[in-house]
Amino acid sequence: MELTLHGWIALATLAFATTMLITRWLPIPITALSIPVILAATGVLEEPKDALMGFGNNAVIAIGAIFVVGAALRESGVATLIARGLQRVGGRSETGLGLLLMGATAVMAAFMNNTAVVAILLPVGVVLAQRSGLAPSRLLMPLSFAAVLGGTISLIGTAPNFIVADYYNEGDFAGKIGIFDYAFVGIPITVVGVLFMAFVGRRLLPTISTEERLAAAQLPEQAATSYAIPDKLFTLRLGATSPLVGRTIAESGVRNQYHLEIVMVRRPSAITAKWLQPDPDLRLESHDVLYVSGDDTSAWDRCETEELQFGLADRSAIDELLGPG
């Protein structure tokens, strides 16, 4: 059977989208939105409404809502407080640290996107490993496993759960799948998986030294050392109503009043974000993200008085800071 012209166009669009998603030569949202546009413009999709059908799917809307909830937990500081608490409570026992970190990861993963949970707790795992003299892999690999396991607990824990529930609830089946119906299977699986990793699975983990892992991975602590700044790196996002909007960095008082050092400023734009040097005369705009180092108490005080959103700098941000462009 020979492919029609429309079939070749669909394959070419798939190849184009795959290449862009892997290389990230275009921002991921632009790549994703270009797919229905190309298919509709070339006539592969005969009706314009077909190109928009995905936006009306319940699963797509709900998955988008999950990202909103996850971002709210991260940007409001709730997830950051959990991360800081783990750093304070963690001792030096590998088993104890593993149970503590995996338990917190699994609980958060039940209500947040797995990737977001790992991004938030990744720096915490590295810090705990350094303080206890463990190889980072001994904590980071169990963390990733716990994120996957925790996603099985609730309907919103992971996208496949919701897609299956949406298909089931729309079909001619008896009953509906609720938000915690997965928990009857998910919780036992998660508990057994966490206990297995803490007491048995950890014996199978690699034991690469901390120095080798940090040198290879360029994790947040290495970036902090490269910039000769303290280990704590935060983000402060300016809201639309923040009194800092319109002020220069010198006028903002971030450095003088709160003793926080601004490392870089990230400014969103229509296509991709711009990275700006923190010059004293740089005028701040709404939705700017300030990457600052210093005491976390000062950062929290700044958020309360200036209507800022507090967050942790993730791995992708560290990579940009090492080579912004």
Side-chain angles (χ1 to χ4, degrees):
M1 180 179 177
E2 295 184 2
L3 282 177
T4 63
L5 176 61
H6 287 167
W8 285 111
I9 293 175
L11 287 177
T13 303
L14 176 62
F16 164 78
T18 303
T19 303
M20 292 301 104
L21 291 174
I22 293 175
T23 61
R24 298 196 178 187
W25 291 339
L26 289 177
I28 291 178
I30 293 179
T31 300
L33 292 174
S34 67
I35 296 174
V37 172
I38 293 174
L39 295 179
T42 55
V44 177
L45 298 176
E46 296 181 357
E47 297 291 335
K49 65 179 182 180
D50 293 337
L52 304 176
M53 287 181 61
F55 296 101
N57 186 278
N58 292 336
V60 173
I61 296 173
I63 292 171
I66 293 172
F67 282 100
V68 173
V69 172
L73 290 174
R74 181 177 67 252
E75 299 296 343
S76 65
V78 173
T80 303
L81 285 176
I82 296 174
R84 294 299 176 196
L86 288 178
Q87 291 184 8
R88 289 192 292 266
V89 174
R92 291 185 175 273
S93 167
E94 180 179 346
T95 302
L97 286 174
L99 284 172
L100 182 68
L101 188 59
M102 285 189 291
T105 302
V107 171
M108 293 175 64
F111 304 98
M112 292 178 61
N113 176 264
N114 294 350
T115 304
V117 173
V118 173
I120 292 169
L121 294 181
L122 179 64
V124 179
V126 174
V127 171
L128 292 176
Q130 287 181 327
R131 291 179 177 177
S132 58
L134 298 171
S137 59
R138 308 288 294 182
L139 294 179
L140 298 187
M141 290 182 69
L143 182 152
S144 64
F145 296 146
V148 175
L149 292 170
T152 65
I153 293 177
S154 71
L155 177 68
I156 63 175
T158 184
N161 285 5
F162 194 92
I163 293 174
V164 169
D166 182 67
Y167 176 82
Y168 184 88
N169 293 342
E170 292 294 330
D172 297 328
F173 302 100
K176 301 292 183 180
I177 296 180
I179 186 170
F180 289 114
D181 286 348
Y182 287 92
F184 294 101
V185 176
I187 290 178
I189 290 176
T190 301
V191 171
V192 172
V194 168
L195 292 177
F196 175 83
M197 282 303 306
F199 296 101
V200 180
R202 67 184 180 87
R203 303 181 187 278
L204 306 175
L205 297 175
T207 56
I208 301 175
S209 68
T210 300
E211 291 76 13
E212 292 174 342
R213 177 61 69 183
L214 288 176
Q218 291 189 344
L219 293 170
E221 283 70 29
Q222 184 189 11
T225 302
S226 300
Y227 277 91
I229 60 176
D231 288 343
K232 294 183 179 180
L233 188 64
F234 310 101
T235 63
L236 301 178
R237 185 189 302 272
L238 277 68
T241 59
S242 173
L244 296 186
V245 174
R247 297 183 184 179
T248 64
I249 289 182
E251 296 169 345
S252 68
V254 173
R255 289 170 172 165
N256 298 332
Q257 298 179 22
Y258 290 85
H259 308 292
L260 298 173
E261 184 64 27
I262 302 177
V263 178
M264 194 67 69
V265 178
R266 183 175 183 270
R267 178 163 295 170
S269 63
I271 298 179
T272 184
K274 297 180 180 178
W275 292 85
L276 306 175
Q277 294 293 333
D279 299 325
D281 58 350
L282 176 64
R283 196 164 298 278
L284 300 174
E285 298 180 2
S286 175
H287 304 303
D288 279 354
V289 179
L290 310 181
Y291 287 83
V292 301
S293 64
D295 181 64
D296 55 354
T297 303
S298 297
W300 272 106
D301 291 341
R302 193 67 182 173
C303 290
E304 293 177 357
T305 57
E306 304 293 353
E307 299 182 26
L308 304 172
Q309 294 177 334
F310 178 88
L312 281 177
D314 57 19
R315 168 67 189 276
S316 61
I318 293 297
D319 289 342
E320 293 288 353
L321 288 174
L322 290 172

